[in-house]
């Protein structure tokens, strides 16, 4: 692993008691200055991993390096990382400036100096007027910003963020996402970010680590994770997805001929290390709802199918359409416009072979 | 709350129930208050007339005043020391993980369920075997036994409400274990420590049986009242009762917000 | 919980604190237990030898057995009746909205903070004025005064936890006000009513001063013990103490889950 | 108001104490068999309105009619409506079948008969095996279904739903939306549905009532609400929206010439009763992010502008783009593809006049 990695996890495992394995021998190498997101459903081990890096959770086996130095057994107050907690963990009995200056107080910085620094931080987040307030007098967004600068005041090399936007409502969340990303780029600090929100992960991250059942499923850029998922779990966790299970019939280079129980044979594309598939093997393919064309637009597609229009849902900027291919076998399509057909009528579908992505089956896919 | 329903159906029977419960509890106390202002010597109707004679008598009785001073000294001691031990015990119980933790927390609470007479006797024998003489000190030590568990329960309830992340945040920002205890946990626990002191002060101030068995010459107020009654009825006791009752009312009024938590809020 | 930190720093001092707190509380009780099995007549070290003689003596003393029966009768009555009144009062306080509700809830709790001696005296005078004779009935009524508020607090805490939507759902599905009380609220309140009964039973069983002032010939157990000690030390009391102590332990063990709520859970 | 309306609210007002007006003289007419949604931010009075229809909240003034009959002062147990609560309000001490049969028990239906009916209901929601369980043994989705059939067992004419999917996670929520809509159509019951989730409202409703500050802002079909919002509040609450404030310069039929402080003049369209605008009046216009074209696509648009690309966020099926027109003046665009320009470079924007919608300013717009 390269010397430009700031945090390294080597075969890190966390067990609770005899039988529960929360994190299962994972390896990670975080690059200096990047925005890395640990993404997965609750219980996948992402928060445990973050807390082990912070020192708030012991490591059962394996090693954690920060700046090439082994910190596996260092307590949290001796590590040069800072953590932002989901509930912000602002001290309710202290004023905002005392909260922000807390880290400096622990380093025995004199009172005047640390309060001056805290005020600078409040200027940075454009909230100089709240210095004397208590945390319960702030709005959700203000708390979030205060927690951020409280973590930043010690100038950590790595900031660990545990679902820092989880407590905010949708609109504020979008605003804070943009702000967080901007701050990270301005300050050049490495962010390790935990979330279960795939949209958040896609829009913020330089790289995403998709976790499931204590293991890493895929680690890549957002675009690759979305467009070339490797497993059924990744495909269905990131964005909506139509998954079809069937058999690989034949293989021509990067293309596999897929045998679908309902649709018959059609070609599908392999990406990302799943090229080793052999004819006869049971595989799955993923079709993104927005990649499927309907009605007249379907005519030019490489693969075509016909079904019955079951449901049309207007969502404002897009229309969600459910098409039944066979009884109980439905495909979800997202389109810019309402379909020409009425509910109950026949409708044609189509897609191109690069939009039918071959996946390996895995345990996580049954979620 | 469904206001419409209430208005039509509920309110009157509910208030009657409460009034009845209140009456059962308060009639006897009302009695004491009324007779404390009665000029007559005997506690029988009809009343003789309004008078403050028993209050004057109380203030001029040095034995009563000595007893009051003794009670305040012991109760203050019990309040402060129980709360300190209670905090230490509660923090240990909440934060440490070890075997038999459940059993230990049961054992720490049990003294509240042991009859006071038994505790008093065993303590008397215990101190006697140690060769100690009976004084306010032995009363103080005896009352600690029921008040430390009480303080522990009150403070433990508060500690359980403090999110773990606060202490973790303090560690993360460079505070060691003791430092984060002093900077974060202790200040947040202060309201419950005040409640604990109010409660244990009151309990100690009111306590009879332990004080009765563990003191010899330095009487506390309840013992003094009892002694006066044994030797023949003395209406001064009504005056003291009235004052203590209204003091209790004030303490409860300030303490209940903490003890009961928030009342039900609309919406 | 940070396991790593704890392992390295925290555990030992915490356990020592707990052990010390425990020792302060339990040494005197241990004393009673030891001497209840000591064959000697006097409560001094060294011990004479193991013996069950005091237990045998206790069982063969009919006065003790009568006192035990009296105590159980009164305590059962207090437990049941306090809990019924406590439920009615708590339901009214939680559900009805009216002026002075806060004041009333303060008044309902205050008796817990009034010294037992004062309550006992005022009750004695009160019943005397009514022309009643002192018996288990008067003890029962007197103890209700402190136990109804206790029951009310316990049940009120539970009622506040029941979401309003449950009762509303019952109304919405066609249940009238009384019907929804019987079908939804009452069954959900039962655990807290059991706790209330355990608590009030124990408090009544242990209570000394009210029983002392309000009974004449029908002694309760604490009074009987006291009477035996006044006339000269009797080691039978140690045997009774040991038994009552272990019974209390059992009651607390079953009751604490309800009283304290859930202990801290990892994660 | 028509005789085909099943629920009617006439000047219904709810006051708390002297000064708080939760619902301010609203009029509503709910059609038999329709799926009507009350949509708005928290505190807008939507839940209070629903609870007044259920009889769980008294009416301060005004009238509520159900089936032309005045029920304003009827208690909840005497109304032929059923309510589904946000927390489901399942009775925790009763088995699932007893929960479902509760309504029949209150009507003194014999035990055998009512349990038979409850089992039929469990068949209907395909959960026959959970009859004997307790509510805390069910998953969120199962609880939701049980609460639904418990409300349906008395065959109410109107089902009132108070954010019934609020407690579920995103994926389950989408499934349950489709299921709810299907059930409503099959059973033909009138649904009055409360939510603060605009996507949910758009995809489920026949008509939406947008509420704000205790008043009705707009009442229309989802498509009209989204495409032709009447007020700034509706435009910004339903979907994302770029709002611009300026002055109406001139008017030609349905088109208004809008004077923007940064962009200059351009034409915008009036819909939905806002045509009474006079030249010189202060107005606002709404631009939907997905209606704005960027780069080469902008060339054919009726209105064009140039800005600097500030941020590109990949969200999987769409790309979110922020363009700065002037310092501090940003426009959000949603596109299918990544823009050709890099962050910091110039980029052209464009839209058509029918996509610039004229709004009236209102108090809610400042939110």
């Amino acid at each position: 692993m390269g010397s430009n990695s700031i945090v390294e996890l080597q075969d890190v495992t966390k067990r609770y008691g005899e039988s529960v394995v929360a994190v299962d021998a994972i390896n990670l190498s975080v690059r200096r200055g990047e925005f890395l997101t640990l993404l997965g459903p609750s219980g996948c081990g992402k928060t445990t991993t973050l807390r082990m890096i912070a020192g708030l959770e012991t490591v059962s086996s394996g090693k954690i390096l920060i700046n090439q130095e082994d910190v596996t057994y260092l307590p949290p107050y001796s590590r040069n990382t800072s953590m932002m907690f989901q509930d912000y963990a602002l001290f309710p009995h202290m004023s905002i400036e005392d909260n922000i200056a807390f880290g400096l107080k622990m380093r025995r910085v004199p009172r005047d100096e640390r309060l001056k620094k805290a005020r600078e931080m409040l200027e940075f987040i454009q909230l100089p007027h709240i210095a004397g307030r208590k945390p319960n007098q702030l709005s959700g967004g203000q708390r979030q910003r205060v927690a951020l600068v409280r973590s930043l005041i010690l100038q950590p090399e790595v900031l660990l963020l545990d679902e820092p936007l989880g407590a905010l409502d949708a609109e504020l969340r979008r605003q804070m996402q943009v702000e967080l990303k901007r701050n990270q780029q301005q300050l050049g600090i490495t962010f390790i970010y935990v979330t279960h929100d795939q949209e958040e992960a896609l829009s913020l991250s330089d790289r995403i680590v998709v976790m499931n059942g204590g293991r890493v499923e895929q680690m890549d850029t957002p675009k690759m994770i979305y467009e070339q998922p490797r497993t059924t779990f990744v495909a269905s966790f990131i964005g909506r997805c139509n998954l079809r299970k069937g058999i690989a019939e034949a293989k021509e280079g990067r293309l596999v001929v897929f045998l679908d129980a309902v649709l018959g044979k059609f070609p599908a594309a392999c990406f990302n290390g799943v090229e080793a598939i052999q004819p006869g093997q049971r595989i799955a393919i993923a079709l993104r709802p927005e990649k499927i064309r309907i009605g007249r637009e379907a005519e030019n597609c490489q693969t075509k199918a016909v079904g019955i229009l079951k449901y049309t849902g207007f969502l404002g900027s897009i229309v969600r359409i459910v098409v039944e291919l066979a009884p109980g076998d439905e495909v979800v399509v997202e389109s810019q416009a309402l379909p020409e057909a009425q509910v109950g009528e026949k409708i044609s579908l189509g897609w191109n072979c690069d939009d039918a992505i071959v996946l390996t089956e895995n345990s996580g896919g049954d979620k | 709350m469904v206001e419409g329903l209430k208005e039509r159906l509920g309110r009157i029977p509910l208030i009657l129930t409460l009034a009845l419960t209140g009456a059962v509890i308060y009639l006897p106390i009302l009695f004491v208050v009324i007779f404390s202002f009665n000029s007559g010597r005997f506690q029988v109707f009809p009343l003789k007339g309004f008078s403050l004679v028993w209050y004057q008598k109380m203030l001029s009785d040095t034995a009563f005043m000595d007893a009051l001073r003794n009670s305040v000294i012991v109760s203050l001691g019990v309040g402060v020391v129980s709360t300190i031990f209670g905090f230490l015990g509660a923090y240990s119980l909440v934060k440490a993980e070890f075997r038999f933790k459940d059993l230990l927390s049961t054992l720490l609470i049990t003294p509240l369920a042991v009859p006071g007479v038994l505790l008093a006797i065993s303590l008397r024998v215990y101190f006697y075997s140690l060769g100690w003489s009976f004084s306010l000190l032995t009363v103080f030590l005896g009352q600690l036994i029921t008040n430390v568990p009480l303080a522990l329960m009150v403070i433990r309830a508060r500690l359980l409400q403090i999110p773990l992340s606060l202490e973790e945040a303090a560690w993360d920002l460079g505070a060691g274990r003791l430092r984060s205890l002093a900077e974060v946990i202790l200040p947040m626990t202060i309201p419950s420590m005040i409640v604990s002191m109010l409660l244990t002060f009151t309990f100690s101030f009111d306590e009879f049986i332990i004080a009765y068995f563990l003191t010899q010459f330095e009487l506390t107020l309840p013992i003094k009242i009892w002694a006066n009654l044994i030797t023949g009825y003395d209406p001064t006791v009504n005056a003291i009762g009235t004052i203590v009752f209204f003091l209790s009312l004030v303490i409860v009024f300030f303490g209940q917000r903490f003890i009961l938590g928030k009342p039900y809020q609309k919406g």
Side-chain angles (χ1 to χ4, degrees), chain A, chain B:
Chain A
M1 306 205 174
S3 66
N4 72 336
S5 75
I6 185 161
V7 176
E8 262 188 61
L9 273 64
Q10 296 176 357
D11 291 319
V12 170
T13 296
K14 176 70 189 183
R15 271 181 230 100
Y16 290 111
E18 298 287 300
S19 55
V20 183
V21 181
V23 175
D24 194 357
I26 74 168
N27 288 284
L28 274 185
S29 169
V30 185
R31 295 176 194 148
R32 194 175 296 276
E34 85 172 323
F35 195 123
L36 184 90
T37 298
L38 305 178
L39 174 67
S42 57
C44 74
K46 56 188 192 301
T47 296
T48 308
T49 305
L50 196 77
R51 288 170 58 84
M52 286 193 288
I53 299 172
L56 294 171
E57 206 83 54
T58 49
V59 173
S60 302
S61 68
K63 250 186 176 178
I64 295 176
L65 308 181
I66 297 179
N67 270 329
Q68 274 77 48
E69 187 199 338
D70 188 340
V71 300
T72 316
Y73 298 105
L74 236 47
Y77 37 85
S78 311
R79 297 190 188 196
N80 194 11
T81 57
S82 272
M83 176 108 169
M84 246 188 89
F85 293 83
Q86 183 168 13
D87 60 1
Y88 311 135
L90 297 179
F91 305 126
H93 57 295
M94 294 183 198
S95 68
I96 295 306
E97 60 186 4
D98 284 339
N99 260 284
I100 296 174
F102 187 84
L104 295 175
K105 187 176 179 190
M106 294 305 109
R107 293 210 177 155
R108 297 176 203 289
V109 174
R111 182 166 171 81
D112 286 354
E113 203 176 315
R114 65 178 190 252
L115 288 185
K116 188 167 154 282
K117 198 82 206 315
R119 296 253 169 74
E120 284 170 27
M121 282 302 199
L122 281 168
E123 293 286 343
F124 174 70
I125 53 172
Q126 296 171 0
L127 293 170
H129 55 288
I130 64 164
R133 294 200 198 148
K134 290 285 175 68
N136 62 8
Q137 298 171 294
L138 304 191
S139 69
Q142 290 174 333
R143 275 181 222 181
Q144 205 272 340
R145 291 190 186 99
V146 169
L148 178 69
V149 293
R150 188 182 66 173
S151 303
L152 292 176
I153 205 164
L154 293 177
Q155 299 178 299
E157 291 188 280
V158 183
L159 185 63
L160 308 167
L161 302 99
D162 185 9
E163 310 225 18
L165 305 179
L168 305 179
D169 65 30
E171 185 51 36
L172 190 56
R173 203 165 166 151
R174 279 189 287 223
Q175 281 174 31
M176 301 307 291
Q177 280 174 15
V178 174
E179 204 173 300
L180 260 187
K181 180 72 182 177
R182 231 174 244 173
N183 288 333
Q184 190 257 336
Q185 286 173 336
Q186 267 177 34
L187 301 165
I189 297 176
T190 310
F191 273 33
I192 305 181
Y193 192 96
V194 158
T195 184
H196 66 273
D197 180 333
Q198 46 99 7
E199 189 176 314
E200 200 163 286
L202 288 174
S203 67
L204 292 176
S205 320
D206 295 317
R207 287 193 303 160
I208 297 176
V209 180
V210 183
M211 292 184 69
N212 187 30
R215 292 171 169 278
V216 174
E217 291 264 330
Q218 191 168 352
M219 177 165 176
D220 217 327
T221 62
K223 203 168 154 61
M224 293 292 276
I225 293 265
Y226 186 81
E227 293 182 352
Q228 303 182 4
R230 192 161 45 175
T231 66
T232 50
F233 175 78
V234 175
S236 53
F237 191 75
I238 316 286
R240 302 203 74 188
C241 203
N242 296 292
L243 280 185
R244 306 199 65 85
K245 298 187 179 187
I247 291 162
E249 274 269 309
K251 214 180 149 190
E252 292 168 36
R254 218 170 42 74
L255 290 186
V256 163
V257 177
F258 179 76
L259 176 60
D260 186 293
V262 171
L263 296 171
K265 294 178 191 175
F266 60 84
C270 297
F271 297 105
N272 246 339
V274 296
E275 287 87 353
I277 277 169
Q278 295 301 318
Q281 195 174 330
R282 296 194 61 80
I283 59 172
I285 66 140
L287 287 167
R288 292 283 179 205
E290 74 275 10
K291 300 282 188 179
I292 302 178
R293 307 273 161 245
I294 53 161
R296 218 170 301 155
E297 280 187 68
E299 281 167 25
N300 301 320
C301 291
Q302 289 165 309
T303 304
K304 271 166 269 189
V306 175
I308 290 167
L309 181 59
K310 287 288 279 187
Y311 167 81
T312 303
F314 179 78
L315 297 183
S317 59
I318 57 165
V319 178
R320 184 167 295 143
I321 294 156
V322 178
V323 177
E324 195 179 61
L325 297 175
D329 185 357
E330 292 177 347
V331 165
V332 177
V333 181
E334 281 174 12
S335 153
Q336 300 290 108
L338 286 166
E340 299 128 41
Q342 295 296 307
V343 169
E345 293 180 0
K346 280 200 174 177
I347 190 166
S348 18
L349 303 177
W351 59 85
N352 295 324
C353 56
D354 266 5
D355 297 329
I357 302 153
V358 176
L359 308 167
T360 50
E361 293 250 20
N362 67 332
S363 54
D366 300 52
K367 149 197 121 108
Chain B
M1 195 92 261
V2 180
E3 288 202 8
L5 269 183
K6 242 184 340 181
E7 281 155 14
R8 273 165 279 154
L9 295 171
R11 208 177 274 197
I12 294 157
L14 292 181
I15 295 181
L16 281 181
T17 312
L18 276 180
L20 185 71
T21 316
V24 166
I25 294 174
Y26 276 92
L27 265 180
I29 292 171
L30 199 66
F31 235 71
V32 169
V33 175
I34 289 170
F35 281 109
S36 78
F37 294 108
N38 182 26
S39 55
R41 179 97 188 77
F42 299 101
Q43 203 136 358
V44 284
F45 288 103
L47 299 170
K48 294 267 167 147
F50 181 80
S51 149
L52 291 175
V53 62
W54 308 119
Y55 287 89
Q56 286 158 351
K57 223 179 149 196
M58 176 191 81
L59 290 172
S60 59
D61 184 338
T62 54
F64 264 123
M65 287 299 132
D66 283 351
L68 181 64
R69 205 202 52 223
N70 288 340
S71 270
V72 169
I73 291 170
V74 169
S75 304
L76 277 180
V78 168
V80 172
V81 175
S82 299
T83 300
I84 292 170
F85 272 89
F87 175 79
L88 293 174
Y91 185 78
S92 312
L93 265 188
V94 170
K95 298 291 174 180
E97 299 268 343
F98 49 87
R99 272 198 229 187
F100 308 126
K101 184 167 156 173
D102 278 357
L103 181 65
L104 188 56
S105 67
T106 306
L107 283 176
L108 285 176
I109 296 161
T110 312
L112 290 175
V114 175
V117 178
L118 285 174
L119 269 182
I121 296 160
S122 45
L123 284 164
R124 189 177 172 90
V125 176
Y126 179 66
F127 289 129
Y128 185 81
S129 327
L130 295 177
W132 291 22
S133 61
F134 297 106
S135 66
L136 290 184
L137 178 68
T138 46
V139 174
F140 160 77
L141 289 173
Q143 293 187 342
L144 275 188
I145 289 182
T146 49
N147 283 298
V148 168
L150 192 71
L152 193 149
M153 277 173 69
V154 169
I155 296 168
R156 180 175 179 271
R158 171 66 183 152
L159 281 175
L160 286 174
Q161 286 172 353
I162 299 178
L164 276 177
S165 61
L166 290 184
E167 218 174 353
E168 293 184 344
W171 297 335
D172 193 62
L173 293 165
R177 191 147 188 129
L178 278 177
R179 195 78 198 269
S180 63
L181 179 63
E183 295 273 351
V184 176
I185 301 297
L186 210 54
M188 290 188 69
T189 319
I190 281 176
S192 68
M193 289 169 72
I194 292 171
V195 172
S196 157
M197 280 199 218
L198 282 177
L199 265 182
T200 49
F201 177 89
T202 310
F203 275 47
S204 162
F205 194 85
D206 298 351
E207 203 280 330
F208 175 80
I209 197 81
I210 290 175
Y212 177 83
F213 275 97
L214 296 185
T215 189
Q216 206 157 359
F217 305 111
E218 300 166 312
L219 304 188
T220 63
L221 195 59
I223 312 293
K224 173 66 186 156
I225 292 171
W226 184 81
N228 273 38
L229 288 169
I230 289 292
T231 53
Y233 188 77
D234 175 2
T236 316
V237 164
N238 286 334
I240 299 172
T242 303
I243 289 171
V244 172
F245 169 69
F246 282 105
L247 282 179
S248 307
L249 205 69
V250 169
I251 290 179
V252 171
F253 190 79
F254 286 106
Q256 73 163 340
R257 282 277 165 277
F258 302 97
I259 299 163
L260 292 178
K262 277 185 194 160
Y264 168 70
Q265 292 289 329
K266 176 166 271 165

